[in-house]
Amino acid sequence: MRFGITSAAALAASFLLSLASGVQIFPNSNGTLSLKDRYDYIVVGAGIGGLVVANRLSEDPSVSVLLIEAGDVDDRAEDVSVPGNVGLEDPRRYEIKLDVAAQEFLDGKARVMSQGKAVGGSTIINGLVWTRGSAANFDAWERLGNPGWGWSNLLIYFKKSEKYSMPSNNGSTRDFPIPIHPVTGKHGDKGPVEVGYPNYYYNQYFNFLKGIQDLGIPINEDPNSGNATGATVIPSSMMANNQSRSDARTAYFDPVLERLNLHFLTNYTVTRILHNDNSATFLNSTYIHGAPSLDITGIEVKCGREVILAAGAIFSPVLLQISGIGPPKLLRSLGVDVAVNLPGVGSNLQDHPTLQPVYEYTAPDVFSAWDIVGSTRDAVRQEYFASRTGPWTAPMVNAIALPALDWVTDHVQDILDEAVNATINLPPAYDKTLRAGYVAQKTELISLLARTDTPAYEVMSTSWGQLAVSTMQPLSRGTVVAKSSSFFENSSPIIDPRFCSHPIDCKMLLLGLKFNDRLIQTPRMAALRPVPPPGFGIEDAANLTELNEVMRTMITSGFHSSGTTSMLPRHLGGVVDPSLRVYGTRNLRVVDAGVIPLVPAAHIQAALYAIAEKVFPVTPTRNPYAVLEYESTDDDGEIGCGHYQG
């Protein structure tokens, strides 16, 4: 297989701090790269999927792996590593802003979303929230035609990826907001990603959790056991001992830098995947394309076994499209020859539509993260670095509620009927396979909404009064479309999540706002003297028409884009099979959020680690049959080939 990459900065790759080893590849003085002629595996993108796969493949020293990342290695500065800075500091040097198309079903206005651009991907900048979702979410994946992808099959990989620690028993956490009792056998204790709890909790979390219980929402003492609903204190992706961020870089990249069979390029961008004409399968070399504006020459790198795309749910489908894999009409409009006819590439985009209203707490005794300024900040910082205690150990979100639909409305059946009967407003480019796939997904989603172990929406609480609401089982579907056949003109492709194109998604958000209205009137929450934002007051909540109009101006991405290279049968608009092999190819896989067929009712990082661990559970050369236990003879009649014996 072949693909193109180019330097993102003139002849400069990133400096790897004090951890640098001999395996990072820098340009020579003449601008050339000293790459091997051939690598067994080439991994495109160093987010969760790419780092997990590169780590596991390179466990066998006889296997050569090239990892390519468009971003840099982060500097581990305080705005990245300190949990208490999440949501308050902006490490924008490690993120990119992406334009989102005008939202037809909201207010007709465009939006902006961000994602990580660094070794570690969005785990470098995310909110640390560690939730898996309910077992039923993943069992739905299996029912959609993905054998081996149900909860019972994935649990081993959830556990394999994590090193779970209970809250410490020191003075600052002795009065823990609620009991935490992890279910036996549901958590890992030896995995690369550290999952734990902070050494400090703001008093407001006690108020929030008590208010939630006053509204009849039960406490969930282990939200990651397979039943996610209830009010809970969530674990975070943070190191228990030093109370700092645990991300894909620290978990899967830093520990293996000494592996001489793992080579990596940073600040280089893959521009396309190349193939032979008239071939439905991709060949065994890669092409590093030179940028016209930079003094770099194109390079070809050969791949002996597989290329793994892990560029994320936005850029992996764009790479496929400009490489000739996707909907034929789109490819021809881009001037790209069709190599594989896959209508699903770039479709089935899902996200959790989110509102972030702040009900500012004005009681004089409230202390929040907003108060950590000036001399207070100096004291908090000193405490953190001296003892790893205090407010800087607390991430932005520690307490959440995930109510089942049945707990927050007396009109469950009416809502379910509306979900079934509402006009199916799918993107115009959807063909019959994508429409059939959506019908299958919709059946599963309505079933999930009817359950009491899967949530309808999420409420996330911060110390300063933000009560963010997200629809957890979205029925709306969007698209990601390349603007041009040149990757350089796709720095922000056409991204259209089509929020609330299915009306139930906005109805869930309205239910969440009405819930917030009742919540701030409970005795414990009222003691904080919350002040609703304009348009969200108690009187405003009584006028649903006006509340709906205000709400639609504020809906934005939950930063959980997924589904654009879905793991579904080809006749349901799928792009990859259950081995994550791209249909019509023998040695191309996708391992990122794009393969998720239904976005789980959770923050998706835990699921992504499990997905990536499952793809290559052991090094292929040690057990060549472990990589792919599934074969497909789908429409093209080609046997799925994901393991190679020689």
Side-chain angles (χ1 to χ4, degrees), residues 400-444:
I400 67 172
L402 291 162
L405 184 61
D406 186 59
W407 298 348
V408 292
T409 179
D410 295 326
H411 305 287
V412 172
Q413 193 56 53
D414 291 341
I415 292 173
L416 296 177
D417 289 344
E418 182 180 348
V420 171
N421 298 322
T423 301
I424 299 179
N425 201 339
L426 294 173
Y430 266 38
D431 74 341
K432 64 179 182 180
T433 66
L434 286 163
R435 291 180 178 276
Y438 180 75
V439 170
Q441 294 173 49
K442 181 177 166 184
T443 298
E444 294 296 337

Side-chain angles (χ1 to χ4, degrees), residues 272-436:
R272 69 186 185 276
I273 304 166
L274 305 179
H275 55 87
N276 276 4
D277 293 339
N278 303 318
S279 173
T281 59
F282 283 67
L283 303 180
N284 295 328
S285 62
T286 60
Y287 180 70
I288 301 175
H289 193 281
S293 61
L294 300 176
D295 187 17
I296 266 191
T297 306
I299 305 168
E300 182 171 305
V301 181
K302 296 181 179 180
C303 170
R305 297 187 180 183
E306 294 191 39
V307 167
I308 294 97
L309 273 185
I314 302 301
F315 288 109
S316 282
V318 169
L319 276 169
L320 291 173
Q321 290 167 1
I322 64 179
S323 303
I325 305 176
K329 184 176 180 180
L330 168 64
L331 303 188
R332 294 188 184 104
S333 73
L334 297 172
V336 174
D337 292 335
V338 178
V340 181
N341 177 352
L342 273 185
V345 175
S347 291
N348 202 39
L349 173 62
Q350 302 162 56
D351 198 349
H352 294 131
T354 299
L355 294 163
Q356 299 176 330
V358 175
Y359 303 76
E360 185 176 356
Y361 301 143
T362 61
D365 59 341
V366 168
F367 174 75
S368 80
W370 280 3
D371 296 311
I372 303 177
V373 295
S375 60
T376 300
R377 186 183 188 279
D378 294 339
V380 166
R381 183 178 184 275
Q382 182 178 5
E383 178 183 5
Y384 176 81
F385 286 108
S387 62
R388 300 293 169 161
T389 59
W392 261 19
T393 71
M396 180 175 72
V397 175
N398 288 126
I400 67 172
L402 291 162
L405 184 61
D406 186 59
W407 298 348
V408 292
T409 179
D410 295 326
H411 305 287
V412 172
Q413 193 56 53
D414 291 341
I415 292 173
L416 296 177
D417 289 344
E418 182 180 348
V420 171
N421 298 322
T423 301
I424 299 179
N425 201 339
L426 294 173
Y430 266 38
D431 74 341
K432 64 179 182 180
T433 66
L434 286 163
R435 291 180 178 276

Side-chain angles (χ1 to χ4, degrees), residues 91 137 202 256 269 460:
N137 288 129
Y202 291 95
V256 300
T269 300
M460 294 180 288

